[in-house]
Amino acid sequence: MSKPIVATTSLAGCFGCHMSFLDIDERILDLIELVEFNKSPIDDIKTFTKKCDIGIIEGGCCNSENVHVLQEFRKNCKTLVVIGECAIMGGLPALRNNVAPISECLEEAYLNCVSVQANDEKIIPNDDELPMILDKVYPCHEVVKIDYFIPGCAPRADLIWNALVALVTGNEMELPYEVIKYD
Amino acid sequence: MDILIEIQDTQGCVDDAAVAKIAEVFGMSKVDVLQTLSFYHFFSRQCRGKYTVYLNDSAVAEMMGRDEIAEVFEEEAGCKFGSVSEDGRIGLFNTSCIGMNDQEPSAIINKKVFTNLTKEKVKKLVQDMKNDVAVEDLESDGVASNILAKGPILIKDIDLEEAIKKAVSMTPDEVIEEVKISNLKGRGGAGFPTALKWKFCRSAVGEKHYIFCNADEGEPGTFKDRVILMENPELLFAGMIIGGYAIGSDEGILYLRYEYKFLEEQLEKVLESFRERNLLGKDIMGHKGFDFDIRIQFGGGAYVCGEESALIESAEGKRGEPRDRPPFPVTKGYLQQPTAVNNVETFCSVAKIIQKGAEWYRSLGTVDSTGSKLISISGDCERPGIYEIEWGFSINDLLKMVGAKDVQAVQIGGPSGCCIGPDEFGRKLAYEDLATGGSIIVINKDRDLLKDIVLNFLEFFIEESCGSCVPCRAMTVQYKKKLEKILAGKGVKKDIDQMLSWEKVMQMNRCGLGQSACNPVIATLTNFRELYESKLQNKEYVSQFDLAAAVKESCETAGRVPNLGGSHE
Amino acid sequence: MSKITVTINGKAYLTEPDKTILQVATENKIYIPTLCFLEGIKAQGSCRICTCMVNGKMMTACTTPVNDGMEVVTNTEELEKLRSKIVELLFAEGNHFCPSCERSGNCELQALAYRYKIMVPEFDYIYPARDVDAIHPKLIIDHNRCILCKRCIRRKKEPENPTWFVFENRGNKVKINFDKEHTADMDDEMAQKAMDTCPVGAIIHKEKGYDVPIGRRKYDKNPIGSDIEGKE
């Protein structure tokens, strides 16, 4: 039987969840035996080269590119797993959701903030190549259907490992009290 | 409360200076004043204009063309609803049902009620306000009673002095026994036996006993108390006196919703004449030792104050939040003393029962639901108004009586009640079948039941929750979001399953309002499920995300044209 | 005082009539989850999490006094599910950013979510516009995290003193407010007490924090309620 294929990505996140993923330490050797990686920063494959079984997503959606990538994942992966607070509820990037309208955020960041220098033309970045900023940071499940949620900031390596093993083997996931944390 | 009302009425707001003054005089903290002040709809910290217009935004008002009227108000006054015109002259505000459903659209301007509004009338009104015409002189249709069927309560066939005399010639226990035999149940909607309530209250130990009349009818669509208060307040007061005698009270309080402030003068006159005739005061009707008086306590605009313990909190000058029970008001109520709270109609029934006898009363209605009931009919029918019927009346007969055709649904008991379709119109109005506090709204086939009615009701509950219990405060908002999702055509079957499963969480709320706040959805999901299902997509998941809408503002701010080509829906 | 018998989860307990269901349960090592309840301040069932079946009806354990022959059920699967829904509602209603909160690990709301193993709330996040009030010399009030349980309101310095905290507005617009004048002379001890009164991180004692590192906090290792249940 061929190995399940896994893809991962980080949207509006800090890559902390990927770091935590790598914290499974020597079990990474078991992981290589267990699955094959496709699009992922772990192996630096930039685009999907085949359909995947499991997509692992870190981070929420703060711009149009995040949305695009997330939608690509939904198309190419049978099962989507979001990991970390950012993917689940927006996380720290979503601190802006309740603060002010996005116009005010942009003006503060690029025009009014005391640390703004040398922006005499008063430009808010507007190059067409740049992703467009969303009005708020969206949790992934508000944009596409998500199958599983792994909370934490970052989720404990054990939790990610347990989840992945459960998904790959089809066994029920172990959830000891200590591994579910939101911080 | 009285102080806040007085200040609000005289200067149009309770500003920081007034708050500071009240705090100083009563040795309270300023935030103490603010917490009461901010609870009530009709109190404000900023001035709401020399003329403050409160336009009803309840479901029936909207059915009767309230939105068009609102537009004219905004155009003419030059400000939006929720704000005051630049010169501070006219303030426009929305308000929940003001008890005029049979003559909508209607509004309250500085305590005075304006009914059957039309575009022309509104134009004239705003012009007059601009020309400084005093509120008393503004043209109004007045408030009609629209009594279309009279029964035992509305027919004035007893001598009230005789009734009170008869009551005080009996012992209090005999009065309670008579009421018990009549099988009178509370008319507010919950249907608790009146005699039992009085018995508990009478036997409760306290320094003083209080009797309250709950005239806070805030259930959208009900206006029967207003009509009683206009047409026959004497009967109500007689009932309160008899009730006071029965439970051993010397003080009765009529808790009246602020929306009915226009009745104040007339009611005070009636009370004054009662005092002159020794129906109130000392040794009433020659009964040594029975001293009793009635005062009027106004509310400040809060539907939840119709809940008896919230009403008591409000009368104590606090936020109108329902209390934990036990203890029940009958043992620890107003000022922690035994208190009986009864509905306007209940008191009216009592006066008649005493005079005409319990057996007479039992001959009316059904075995389990004795007597008559005032119902307020509004919505899509030819003859909206007040009908007094005997319990056991069927919905079919009712619809015939009021001239309703092409009926899609009937909302019984207001938003917290139930909504039934034609296959159930054979059912009867009775405690054992369709219980109601009195609000009946007819909805014809042209209406979008979910959008026009259910969504409006949900918004009402969100606005009127006291905010104490989590499910009532937060779940109502979730219900609204779900319904909006379904109305936008983005719902899936799971959404319906979730809404049904939340009902149990709503039942965890402390008071009846909270427990029934999901009824608009649950009742329509039960009886009109196809309306929901026709809007669902046959998928497991539908995204509500809209990229174009989400990037609109940031692109505008940055001055770039949104490039939506890259999105893959 | 005469003793009465109360049945909790099928087992009879002898107790006194002036106690609440919650008290009787706690004394007998039965944990009923609570949030708006705090030992030593007047109970007011507003979070509804301690709802139990009492003689077949839903009642809050923290406010309902026991009486003879009362039958209480505290722990059915359905009740636990309903409680978990309330926790989820609270997470969706406010702005709860656990990773950036001083109370993470010591937070009762979070601890209940851990206990119920909530991975994601069933409800839509509201992201309400709320502010952080840092004007007070000793306290930071972060309305984003407030779950409106009123514990701060119900805890008073002394009964005769002016009110410190109050509730304002109604419905989904309610928020806590505090009296800036009367709390101005608050000392560190009182500020810490105010913070400890709050079940979440809405009241923070200024210039103090992270004394105990994340990972070694109250609910990091053991679930909330395990002290009552007597389990490890």
Side-chain angles (χ1 to χ4, degrees), chain B residues 199-219:
Chain B
K199 202 174 149 211
F200 286 144
C201 189
R202 177 167 180 80
S203 56
V205 183
E207 291 154 26
K208 195 170 151 95
H209 286 54
Y210 292 93
I211 192 150
F212 271 76
C213 173
N214 181 349
D216 192 58
E217 63 170 351
E219 192 81 52

Side-chain angles (χ1 to χ4, degrees), chain B residues 229-386:
Chain B
L229 290 164
M230 284 166 70
E231 296 292 325
N232 201 358
E234 295 84 359
L235 183 65
L236 160 69
F237 292 140
M240 284 181 75
I241 294 163
I242 295 167
Y245 176 73
I247 67 161
S249 162
D250 62 359
E251 187 173 348
I253 298 161
L254 171 65
Y255 185 95
L256 192 55
R257 66 193 305 228
Y258 184 87
E259 287 84 341
Y260 295 166
K261 196 100 197 321
F262 73 101
L263 295 170
E264 184 177 17
E265 211 174 308
Q266 184 206 349
L267 293 173
E268 288 291 1
K269 264 188 210 153
V270 175
L271 287 176
E272 203 40 56
S273 95
F274 267 46
R275 286 180 197 117
E276 281 161 12
R277 289 150 62 196
N278 188 227
L279 298 171
L280 289 172
K282 282 207 161 302
D283 303 329
I284 289 168
M285 288 281 105
H287 186 99
K288 275 263 172 277
F290 178 46
D291 305 339
F292 187 78
D293 208 338
I294 295 173
R295 69 178 176 89
I296 301 174
Q297 173 67 60
F298 278 97
Y303 164 67
V304 64
C305 289
E307 198 278 345
E308 62 175 6
S309 64
L311 180 147
I312 290 168
E313 287 279 299
S314 174
E316 288 178 3
K318 296 188 252 178
R319 299 166 60 80
E321 293 180 9
R323 293 177 177 173
D324 291 302
R325 275 155 297 184
F328 289 89
V330 284
T331 53
K332 280 193 162 105
Y334 184 60
L335 305 174
Q336 296 300 308
Q337 301 304 319
T339 302
V341 183
N342 295 100
N343 185 270
V344 172
E345 216 182 325
T346 311
F347 283 121
C348 292
S349 305
V350 164
K352 293 264 176 158
I353 288 165
I354 293 302
Q355 182 63 4
K356 299 176 86 168
E359 289 306 328
W360 160 79
Y361 197 77
R362 275 159 62 109
S363 70
L364 308 166
T366 72
V367 177
D368 288 324
S369 310
T370 55
S372 66
K373 178 80 192 109
L374 264 67
I375 47 177
S376 325
I377 306 224
S378 62
D380 297 315
C381 61
E382 283 164 22
R383 295 177 291 278
I386 291 290

Side-chain angles (χ1 to χ4, degrees), chain B residues 154-168:
Chain B
L154 290 172
I155 296 169
K156 297 184 185 180
D157 60 350
I158 62 165
D159 182 334
L160 294 173
E161 280 194 34
E162 288 296 315
I164 295 169
K165 212 176 209 168
K166 187 170 170 192
V168 299

Side-chain angles (χ1 to χ4, degrees), chain A residues 61-64 66 93-112 124-125 131-138, chain B residues 547-560, chain C residues 127 129:
Chain A
C61 293
C62 80
N63 64 35
S64 55
N66 298 150
L95 279 171
R96 76 165 161 97
N97 284 10
N98 63 306
V99 177
I102 183 65
S103 54
E104 221 173 286
C105 285
L106 291 171
E107 280 157 13
E108 179 67 20
Y110 294 106
L111 308 179
N112 305 330
I124 293 172
M132 297 170 289
I133 308 290
L134 307 183
D135 56 346
K136 64 172 190 182
V137 179
Y138 289 80
Chain B
L547 184 64
V551 300
K552 190 167 171 276
E553 194 187 337
S554 77
C555 286
E556 272 168 17
T557 310
R560 62 185 280 195
Chain C
Y127 299 116

Side-chain angles (χ1 to χ4, degrees), chain C residues 148-167:
Chain C
L148 307 160
C149 69
K150 296 193 184 178
R151 271 165 41 166
C152 55
I153 297 172
R154 283 176 284 144
R155 160 156 277 164
K156 285 193 178 166
K157 207 167 43 162
E158 299 286 341
E160 65 272 17
N161 280 358
T163 311
W164 281 8
F165 290 93
V166 296
F167 233 23

Side-chain angles (χ1 to χ4, degrees), chain B residues 29-30 32 35 38-39 301 319 321 324 463-465 468-470 473 478 498 502 504 508 510, chain C residues 44-46 48 58 63 78 82 93 122-124 147-148 150 163 166-171 179 181:
Chain B
S29 160
K30 276 185 240 173
D32 269 325
Q35 71 170 341
S38 63
F39 187 83
R319 299 166 60 80
E321 293 180 9
D324 291 302
E463 165 69 30
E464 296 294 338
S465 162
S468 189
C469 297
V470 179
R473 181 181 74 227
Q478 297 290 343
Q498 284 180 333
W502 297 344
K504 199 88 198 188
M508 294 166 91
R510 186 190 297 153
Chain C
Q44 185 198 38
S46 66
R48 315 307 287 173
M58 289 209 264
T63 62
E78 183 177 30
L82 293 174
E93 181 192 34
E122 165 178 345
F123 307 102
D124 286 353
I147 56 166
L148 307 160
K150 296 193 184 178
T163 311
V166 296
F167 233 23
E168 274 185 19
N169 306 328
R170 71 180 188 212
D179 190 302
E181 287 159 27

